[in-house]
Amino acid sequence: MAATSDRSAPAWSAGGRAKTAAKLMLGWVAFLWLLEVVDASTGHSLDTFGIEPRRAGELLDVVPASFIHFGFGHVASNSVPLLVFGFLAALSGVRRFAAVAAMIIVVDGLGVWLVSPGGSNTAGASGLVFGLFGYLLVRGFVDRRVLDIGAGLLIGAIWGSSILVGISPANTSVSWQGHLFGLAAGVAAAFVFRRRSAAGPVPLLP
């Protein structure tokens, strides 16, 4: 099982980490909007990068699908939670965040490829959004850090009901499979990429 120590993090000030995390996520979301502008201006040509299940060639779209959306309303619905969750996750280090995000995107995409209904086409950042939610929800308990526990409980209180609706099979307007696999991948990532100090008994630290 992998673990990260984020040795570079102590060298940064809290303000420096926050500034870096904010720039990263603003750039990420801006890139999603740019892609949707390109998609809309080219007759939705980028929609082909969505995942069509159980077709071998579609495995190449597992990662790109997380950056493609079906309309501006779709990308808008993912932008705010992605900004918030991504910012909070990236505060603990960009390298750790990149590893967590990569794991969520790949696991979520493979899950969609395996179990989504035949003939469907799934794309969007919501799998990553659900994954970051799951990651933040349990990260503080895994790392034994009081501030992260508080942040996880706060986002759980604010977004928890929406997450439950999003993973319900009764919600046929979205890919609940993608949401569910993303959520599970995020929870798993909190353990896979936990801080080294969390591997043994340590006191709760902010």
Side-chain angles (χ1 to χ4, degrees), residues 114-153:
L114 282 171
V115 307
S116 286
S120 62
N121 185 20
T122 303
S126 57
L128 177 58
V129 167
F130 276 66
L132 291 174
F133 174 89
Y135 171 73
L136 291 170
L137 195 64
V138 303
R139 179 186 63 178
F141 297 99
V142 174
D143 289 348
R144 301 185 177 100
R145 293 172 65 88
V146 172
L147 290 181
D148 288 344
I149 291 173
L153 293 176

Short mmCIF file of all heavy atoms in Angstrom, two decimals, residues 114-153:
data_model
loop_
_atom_site.label_atom_id
_atom_site.label_comp_id
_atom_site.label_asym_id
_atom_site.label_seq_id
_atom_site.Cartn_x
_atom_site.Cartn_y
_atom_site.Cartn_z
N LEU A 114 -17.12 -0.69 -17.16
CA LEU A 114 -17.53 -2.05 -16.84
C LEU A 114 -19.03 -2.21 -16.63
O LEU A 114 -19.62 -3.22 -17.07
CB LEU A 114 -16.80 -2.53 -15.57
CG LEU A 114 -15.35 -2.97 -15.74
CD1 LEU A 114 -14.71 -3.19 -14.38
CD2 LEU A 114 -15.27 -4.24 -16.57
N VAL A 115 -19.68 -1.28 -15.98
CA VAL A 115 -21.05 -1.53 -15.50
C VAL A 115 -22.12 -0.60 -16.05
O VAL A 115 -23.30 -0.84 -15.81
CB VAL A 115 -21.11 -1.50 -13.96
CG1 VAL A 115 -20.08 -2.44 -13.34
CG2 VAL A 115 -20.89 -0.08 -13.43
N SER A 116 -21.76 0.45 -16.77
CA SER A 116 -22.79 1.35 -17.29
C SER A 116 -23.66 0.64 -18.32
O SER A 116 -23.21 -0.31 -18.97
CB SER A 116 -22.15 2.59 -17.92
OG SER A 116 -21.65 3.45 -16.94
N PRO A 117 -24.88 1.09 -18.51
CA PRO A 117 -25.78 0.43 -19.46
C PRO A 117 -25.25 0.50 -20.88
O PRO A 117 -24.62 1.48 -21.29
CB PRO A 117 -27.08 1.25 -19.34
CG PRO A 117 -26.98 1.95 -18.03
CD PRO A 117 -25.52 2.21 -17.80
N GLY A 118 -25.48 -0.55 -21.64
CA GLY A 118 -25.05 -0.57 -23.03
C GLY A 118 -25.69 0.56 -23.82
O GLY A 118 -26.86 0.90 -23.61
N GLY A 119 -24.95 1.13 -24.74
CA GLY A 119 -25.45 2.22 -25.56
C GLY A 119 -25.34 3.58 -24.91
O GLY A 119 -25.71 4.59 -25.53
N SER A 120 -24.87 3.66 -23.67
CA SER A 120 -24.73 4.95 -22.99
C SER A 120 -23.40 5.59 -23.33
O SER A 120 -22.47 4.94 -23.80
CB SER A 120 -24.87 4.77 -21.48
OG SER A 120 -23.84 3.94 -20.97
N ASN A 121 -23.31 6.88 -23.08
CA ASN A 121 -22.08 7.63 -23.27
C ASN A 121 -21.90 8.52 -22.04
O ASN A 121 -22.70 9.42 -21.80
CB ASN A 121 -22.15 8.48 -24.54
CG ASN A 121 -20.83 9.18 -24.85
OD1 ASN A 121 -19.78 8.80 -24.38
ND2 ASN A 121 -20.90 10.24 -25.66
N THR A 122 -20.88 8.24 -21.25
CA THR A 122 -20.70 8.91 -19.96
C THR A 122 -19.48 9.81 -19.97
O THR A 122 -18.39 9.39 -20.36
CB THR A 122 -20.56 7.87 -18.83
OG1 THR A 122 -21.69 7.01 -18.83
CG2 THR A 122 -20.44 8.56 -17.48
N ALA A 123 -19.66 11.04 -19.56
CA ALA A 123 -18.55 11.99 -19.46
C ALA A 123 -18.88 13.01 -18.38
O ALA A 123 -20.02 13.14 -17.93
CB ALA A 123 -18.31 12.69 -20.80
N GLY A 124 -17.86 13.73 -17.95
CA GLY A 124 -18.07 14.79 -16.97
C GLY A 124 -17.17 14.63 -15.76
O GLY A 124 -16.67 13.54 -15.47
N ALA A 125 -17.01 15.72 -15.04
CA ALA A 125 -16.14 15.74 -13.86
C ALA A 125 -16.84 15.31 -12.59
O ALA A 125 -16.23 15.34 -11.52
CB ALA A 125 -15.57 17.16 -13.67
N SER A 126 -18.09 14.88 -12.69
CA SER A 126 -18.83 14.56 -11.47
C SER A 126 -18.24 13.34 -10.76
O SER A 126 -18.31 13.24 -9.54
CB SER A 126 -20.31 14.34 -11.77
OG SER A 126 -20.49 13.32 -12.73
N GLY A 127 -17.66 12.40 -11.51
CA GLY A 127 -17.02 11.27 -10.85
C GLY A 127 -15.88 11.73 -9.97
O GLY A 127 -15.70 11.26 -8.84
N LEU A 128 -15.09 12.70 -10.46
CA LEU A 128 -14.01 13.27 -9.66
C LEU A 128 -14.57 14.05 -8.48
O LEU A 128 -14.03 13.99 -7.38
CB LEU A 128 -13.15 14.18 -10.53
CG LEU A 128 -12.00 14.92 -9.84
CD1 LEU A 128 -11.04 13.95 -9.17
CD2 LEU A 128 -11.27 15.83 -10.82
N VAL A 129 -15.65 14.78 -8.70
CA VAL A 129 -16.29 15.54 -7.63
C VAL A 129 -16.72 14.60 -6.50
O VAL A 129 -16.44 14.85 -5.32
CB VAL A 129 -17.50 16.32 -8.16
CG1 VAL A 129 -18.36 16.87 -7.01
CG2 VAL A 129 -17.05 17.47 -9.06
N PHE A 130 -17.40 13.51 -6.85
CA PHE A 130 -17.85 12.56 -5.84
C PHE A 130 -16.65 11.90 -5.16
O PHE A 130 -16.67 11.63 -3.96
CB PHE A 130 -18.76 11.51 -6.47
CG PHE A 130 -20.19 11.94 -6.58
CD1 PHE A 130 -20.55 12.99 -7.42
CD2 PHE A 130 -21.19 11.31 -5.86
CE1 PHE A 130 -21.87 13.39 -7.53
CE2 PHE A 130 -22.51 11.71 -5.96
CZ PHE A 130 -22.86 12.76 -6.79
N GLY A 131 -15.59 11.65 -5.95
CA GLY A 131 -14.41 11.05 -5.38
C GLY A 131 -13.72 11.96 -4.38
O GLY A 131 -13.30 11.52 -3.30
N LEU A 132 -13.59 13.23 -4.71
CA LEU A 132 -12.97 14.18 -3.79
C LEU A 132 -13.82 14.36 -2.54
O LEU A 132 -13.28 14.56 -1.44
CB LEU A 132 -12.75 15.53 -4.49
CG LEU A 132 -11.68 15.54 -5.58
CD1 LEU A 132 -11.65 16.88 -6.30
CD2 LEU A 132 -10.30 15.22 -5.00
N PHE A 133 -15.14 14.29 -2.70
CA PHE A 133 -16.02 14.35 -1.53
C PHE A 133 -15.70 13.19 -0.59
O PHE A 133 -15.52 13.38 0.63
CB PHE A 133 -17.48 14.30 -1.96
CG PHE A 133 -18.45 14.21 -0.82
CD1 PHE A 133 -18.94 15.37 -0.22
CD2 PHE A 133 -18.88 12.98 -0.33
CE1 PHE A 133 -19.83 15.30 0.85
CE2 PHE A 133 -19.78 12.90 0.73
CZ PHE A 133 -20.25 14.06 1.33
N GLY A 134 -15.65 11.97 -1.14
CA GLY A 134 -15.35 10.81 -0.31
C GLY A 134 -13.97 10.90 0.33
O GLY A 134 -13.78 10.55 1.50
N TYR A 135 -13.01 11.39 -0.44
CA TYR A 135 -11.65 11.54 0.07
C TYR A 135 -11.61 12.52 1.24
O TYR A 135 -11.04 12.21 2.30
CB TYR A 135 -10.76 12.04 -1.07
CG TYR A 135 -9.37 12.45 -0.66
CD1 TYR A 135 -8.42 11.50 -0.31
CD2 TYR A 135 -9.00 13.80 -0.62
CE1 TYR A 135 -7.14 11.87 0.06
CE2 TYR A 135 -7.73 14.18 -0.25
CZ TYR A 135 -6.80 13.22 0.09
OH TYR A 135 -5.53 13.59 0.46
N LEU A 136 -12.23 13.67 1.08
CA LEU A 136 -12.22 14.67 2.14
C LEU A 136 -13.01 14.21 3.37
O LEU A 136 -12.68 14.56 4.50
CB LEU A 136 -12.81 15.99 1.62
CG LEU A 136 -11.96 16.73 0.58
CD1 LEU A 136 -12.77 17.87 -0.04
CD2 LEU A 136 -10.68 17.25 1.20
N LEU A 137 -14.05 13.43 3.13
CA LEU A 137 -14.89 12.97 4.23
C LEU A 137 -14.12 12.09 5.21
O LEU A 137 -14.34 12.15 6.42
CB LEU A 137 -16.10 12.21 3.67
CG LEU A 137 -17.27 11.97 4.61
CD1 LEU A 137 -17.91 13.30 5.03
CD2 LEU A 137 -18.31 11.07 3.94
N VAL A 138 -13.20 11.27 4.69
CA VAL A 138 -12.51 10.32 5.57
C VAL A 138 -11.03 10.65 5.79
O VAL A 138 -10.40 10.08 6.67
CB VAL A 138 -12.63 8.88 5.02
CG1 VAL A 138 -14.07 8.49 4.85
CG2 VAL A 138 -11.88 8.72 3.70
N ARG A 139 -10.47 11.59 5.00
CA ARG A 139 -9.04 11.87 5.08
C ARG A 139 -8.60 12.25 6.49
O ARG A 139 -7.56 11.79 6.98
CB ARG A 139 -8.66 13.01 4.12
CG ARG A 139 -7.20 13.38 4.16
CD ARG A 139 -6.91 14.60 3.30
NE ARG A 139 -7.59 15.80 3.77
CZ ARG A 139 -7.46 17.00 3.20
NH1 ARG A 139 -6.70 17.15 2.14
NH2 ARG A 139 -8.10 18.05 3.69
N GLY A 140 -9.37 13.10 7.15
CA GLY A 140 -8.97 13.56 8.47
C GLY A 140 -8.89 12.42 9.48
O GLY A 140 -7.99 12.40 10.33
N PHE A 141 -9.82 11.47 9.39
CA PHE A 141 -9.80 10.33 10.30
C PHE A 141 -8.61 9.42 10.01
O PHE A 141 -7.98 8.89 10.92
CB PHE A 141 -11.11 9.55 10.19
CG PHE A 141 -12.32 10.33 10.60
CD1 PHE A 141 -13.13 10.95 9.66
CD2 PHE A 141 -12.64 10.47 11.95
CE1 PHE A 141 -14.25 11.67 10.05
CE2 PHE A 141 -13.76 11.20 12.36
CZ PHE A 141 -14.56 11.81 11.40
N VAL A 142 -8.29 9.24 8.72
CA VAL A 142 -7.17 8.39 8.33
C VAL A 142 -5.85 9.03 8.75
O VAL A 142 -4.95 8.36 9.29
CB VAL A 142 -7.18 8.14 6.81
CG1 VAL A 142 -5.92 7.39 6.37
CG2 VAL A 142 -8.43 7.36 6.40
N ASP A 143 -5.71 10.34 8.52
CA ASP A 143 -4.47 11.05 8.85
C ASP A 143 -4.41 11.50 10.31
O ASP A 143 -3.37 11.98 10.76
CB ASP A 143 -4.33 12.30 7.96
CG ASP A 143 -4.00 11.95 6.51
OD1 ASP A 143 -3.67 10.79 6.24
OD2 ASP A 143 -4.09 12.84 5.66
N ARG A 144 -5.54 11.39 11.02
CA ARG A 144 -5.61 11.81 12.43
C ARG A 144 -5.29 13.30 12.58
O ARG A 144 -4.42 13.69 13.36
CB ARG A 144 -4.69 10.95 13.29
CG ARG A 144 -4.99 9.46 13.24
CD ARG A 144 -4.13 8.69 14.22
NE ARG A 144 -4.48 7.28 14.23
CZ ARG A 144 -3.78 6.34 13.57
NH1 ARG A 144 -2.71 6.69 12.89
NH2 ARG A 144 -4.14 5.09 13.63
N ARG A 145 -5.98 14.11 11.79
CA ARG A 145 -5.76 15.56 11.83
C ARG A 145 -7.10 16.24 12.10
O ARG A 145 -8.07 16.08 11.33
CB ARG A 145 -5.15 16.05 10.52
CG ARG A 145 -3.72 15.55 10.30
CD ARG A 145 -3.20 15.90 8.92
NE ARG A 145 -3.06 17.33 8.73
CZ ARG A 145 -1.97 18.02 9.05
NH1 ARG A 145 -0.93 17.41 9.60
NH2 ARG A 145 -1.90 19.31 8.83
N VAL A 146 -7.15 17.00 13.18
CA VAL A 146 -8.40 17.59 13.65
C VAL A 146 -9.02 18.53 12.61
O VAL A 146 -10.22 18.48 12.35
CB VAL A 146 -8.17 18.34 14.98
CG1 VAL A 146 -9.43 19.12 15.38
CG2 VAL A 146 -7.79 17.37 16.08
N LEU A 147 -8.21 19.40 12.01
CA LEU A 147 -8.75 20.37 11.05
C LEU A 147 -9.35 19.66 9.84
O LEU A 147 -10.39 20.08 9.32
CB LEU A 147 -7.67 21.35 10.61
CG LEU A 147 -7.21 22.36 11.67
CD1 LEU A 147 -6.14 23.28 11.09
CD2 LEU A 147 -8.39 23.17 12.19
N ASP A 148 -8.70 18.60 9.37
CA ASP A 148 -9.22 17.86 8.23
C ASP A 148 -10.50 17.10 8.58
O ASP A 148 -11.38 16.95 7.74
CB ASP A 148 -8.17 16.89 7.70
CG ASP A 148 -7.02 17.60 6.99
OD1 ASP A 148 -7.19 18.78 6.65
OD2 ASP A 148 -5.97 16.97 6.78
N ILE A 149 -10.58 16.62 9.81
CA ILE A 149 -11.82 15.98 10.26
C ILE A 149 -12.96 16.99 10.24
O ILE A 149 -14.06 16.71 9.75
CB ILE A 149 -11.66 15.40 11.68
CG1 ILE A 149 -10.71 14.20 11.65
CG2 ILE A 149 -13.01 14.98 12.25
CD1 ILE A 149 -10.36 13.66 13.02
N GLY A 150 -12.68 18.19 10.75
CA GLY A 150 -13.70 19.24 10.76
C GLY A 150 -14.14 19.62 9.36
O GLY A 150 -15.34 19.79 9.10
N ALA A 151 -13.17 19.74 8.44
CA ALA A 151 -13.50 20.09 7.06
C ALA A 151 -14.36 19.00 6.42
O ALA A 151 -15.32 19.29 5.70
CB ALA A 151 -12.23 20.29 6.25
N GLY A 152 -14.01 17.74 6.68
CA GLY A 152 -14.79 16.64 6.13
C GLY A 152 -16.21 16.62 6.65
O GLY A 152 -17.16 16.39 5.89
N LEU A 153 -16.37 16.84 7.93
CA LEU A 153 -17.71 16.87 8.52
C LEU A 153 -18.53 18.04 7.97
O LEU A 153 -19.74 17.92 7.74
CB LEU A 153 -17.63 16.96 10.04
CG LEU A 153 -17.04 15.72 10.74
CD1 LEU A 153 -16.91 15.99 12.24
CD2 LEU A 153 -17.90 14.50 10.49
#
